[in-house]
Amino acid sequence: MSKELTPDEALDKINFTPKSGNWMDTTPSVQIKPGMYCYAAKADSVKTLGLPNARPWNPLEEDWKLPENWQEILHQGIKERLEKFRTFKIFMDVCVRCGACADKCHFFLGTGDPKNMPVLRAELLRSVYRNDFTTAGKILSKIPGGSRLGGGRPLTMEVLKELWYYFFQCTECRRCSVFCPYGIDTAEITIMARELFNLVGLNIDWIATPVSNCFKTGNHLGIQPHAFKDMLDFFVEDIEEITGVDCTPEYQKKGADILFITPSGDVFADPGTYTCQGYLMLFKYLKDKYGLDVTWSTYASEGGNFGFFTSHETMKRLNAKMYAEAKRLGVKWILGGECGHMWRVIHQYMDTMNGPADFLEVPVNPITGTVFENARSTKMVHITEFTADLIKHNKLELDKSRNSNRVITYHDSCNTSRGMGLLDEPRYVINNVCDNFYEMPSNTIREQTFCCGSGSGLNAGENMELRMAGALPRANAVKYVHEKFGVNTLGTVCAIDRAALSTLCEYWVPEVEVYGIHELVGNALILPGEIKRTQDLRMEPLPGMEEE
Amino acid sequence: MNIKQTLKENKSLFLKKWFQATIETYPKDSARILGKDANRFDNPVGAITRESLENILDLITDKYSEESLEKALDPIIRIRAVQAFNASEAVSFVFALKKIGQGILDDSHQRQFDPMVDQIALASFNKFMKCKEEIFLLKATESKRRVHRAFERAGLVAELKENDLLGSKKS
């Protein structure tokens, strides 16, 4: 055991020399760098949502085309939010700048930019709060040099640009909050900052256009109902070719037991499409074996909610359609697909936003009798909880050997792990459909999981350098298990992860492929009446079937 | 004693100074944290930088080629290529070796050492460009690869095949 320091020795280690200069000047005045920022929201998308100041603008240009009274709008916006949200007020006041969060952010660890330390990123906004809203700040601002002494600064255009740049370098993953002794949720500070940006028309396009699409057509990609159905029909054909079983789903079926909603990424983007096929196979199995009646909806065709990254009102608008559809169809409860932020919205905000959903029943798995107590009020259950429950009660026939070529590790999505405590169910499912499961190091998983670096609407193309830098801590752990255990598969339960981690792996660990958990379930599930399976859902030979 | 033996003997001193000089290319408040000898999963930039620099030092005390230098440089350059450095800042850490050498080596060894540093520098330019090209390719093809491929499989788009859109090669 190491020798404990005496008090005198400990004091000797403290550097009593105050640092010269202001901590806010750790980097030069903000320079918006290509590769690190996202393009501005298209005017049309902002207009569709009825949000203020729709116009073309470019973050690299000097003039951001703000309304003349932008300072007044933002001041009023901060004031309203301080009064309305106690968390915001507390988080503005309570930080003691202990620095426990400083080295916990994937963006700080990856970019090496000090203003990405959560404490400093939040301080960018706190300094404005302190200057304009605290008594000490107001008094100090009247004496020369007083503002700097109190850590305050007026909201100038340069400050606004800096806020914008750095609050779009936060994925709201909340890893920092795990380490904060006060429980400050930096994600909520980012959420507030982004709400404020929207008051003066400063959203990014990767958020605004999906939100606008979702508002108009029901999903982020703006795919219309017939195309949604075409895609699922196509999956049905593929599954039939692989298994010989027709898994055609129901759409908008009134009186079905369960409404199933998944992120549109599962329907339209690889490799989520294979996860989607896994869902279709599971529902077919449950229908044939137990008569469970699951319906899809082309109206509620999006589980994700980019409104969450815009403002609470916008989040509420998008969330409402899922419940409206459940009500219209008269289902008992809602089953949700593998998604991340969708679950944060459901678990943390839905109930006070659009809930309680008392027109639905408390979710009970009709096959096992399990009551999903955690969803008693929201009436919405995550599919890995549902599948884990089925497996636990021996309700699924599974052939693990079909996944024996997958050496897998599991990435906890920030939102499902820290946002709702879904930690063991996905692992339980994986261990029942695969034999070769290896955990990444303990300081990179479960509650301490590292973000994919592309969450909260930052999964754009133009900020690829930022995304890859933010992905480094996650990739570093994936690479470790790849080298140590031969891991070739990164499992995840989040649609953004499936897209983002695929790109992360291409850059950092190209030998590893990304899989959704229900893709692995689909491979292992023995469907009633299936033909001899020789291919997995990617139409590659199953282990041992390479010659056939 | 030849230059390689001298480098081998002074490796830990070279590594210590080179690591410090490399970490100091980050802003001061970041360097304080990234320079810590922490768990490699808590501080990936620090750990990978240290390993990479050590591998390069090991390599130049032995036989090496442009290819093996690029391989050893890959982890550190791969990181610096996605940080907010411009090209010269990203590879500047290599040139710090010359100055470090001046404090450790005698003149004749230094004259032999400088061309070795030049070779590392040239390899680092190559690696930096390759990483940037990978990034540009990811930027150009990511959404097409994800969404277009699914649409193509479903027969919803037919005019162009995925390969036509992706260009000559996969990253």
Side-chain angles (χ1 to χ4, degrees), chain A residues 395-498:
Chain A
K395 299 296 180 189
L396 300 181
E397 283 178 85
L398 299 162
D399 178 359
K400 275 180 160 187
S401 72
R402 292 180 190 163
N403 287 318
S404 61
N405 55 349
R406 308 308 335 162
V407 185
I408 186 167
T409 191
Y410 176 67
H411 161 76
D412 291 272
S413 153
C414 311
N415 286 302
T416 51
S417 60
R418 284 188 283 268
M420 70 182 286
L422 186 81
L423 302 167
D424 292 310
E425 290 85 345
R427 290 176 165 82
Y428 182 78
V429 175
I430 290 170
N431 277 312
N432 278 281
V433 296
C434 293
D435 272 325
N436 315 303
F437 176 65
Y438 296 95
E439 290 280 16
M440 286 183 273
S442 60
N443 47 348
T444 71
I445 55 167
R446 299 175 78 93
E447 293 90 342
Q448 295 189 49
T449 187
F450 274 116
C451 179
C452 63
S454 302
S456 84
L458 303 187
N459 196 18
E462 62 271 18
N463 62 338
M464 190 61 78
E465 283 89 339
L466 174 72
R467 286 174 50 197
M468 290 304 108
L472 170 64
R474 169 41 76 224
N476 182 41
V478 175
K479 197 171 166 95
Y480 172 78
V481 287
H482 165 68
E483 285 167 358
K484 185 159 184 191
F485 305 113
V487 162
N488 60 12
T489 305
L490 179 56
T492 180
V493 291
C494 166
I496 301 237
D497 279 335
R498 277 189 283 280

Side-chain angles (χ1 to χ4, degrees), chain B residues 93-103 110 113-115 117-118:
Chain B
F93 71 96
V94 175
F95 297 92
L97 261 184
K98 288 194 179 178
K99 204 171 169 194
I100 294 166
Q102 283 162 15
Q110 182 72 30
F113 183 57
D114 284 348
V117 178
D118 292 340

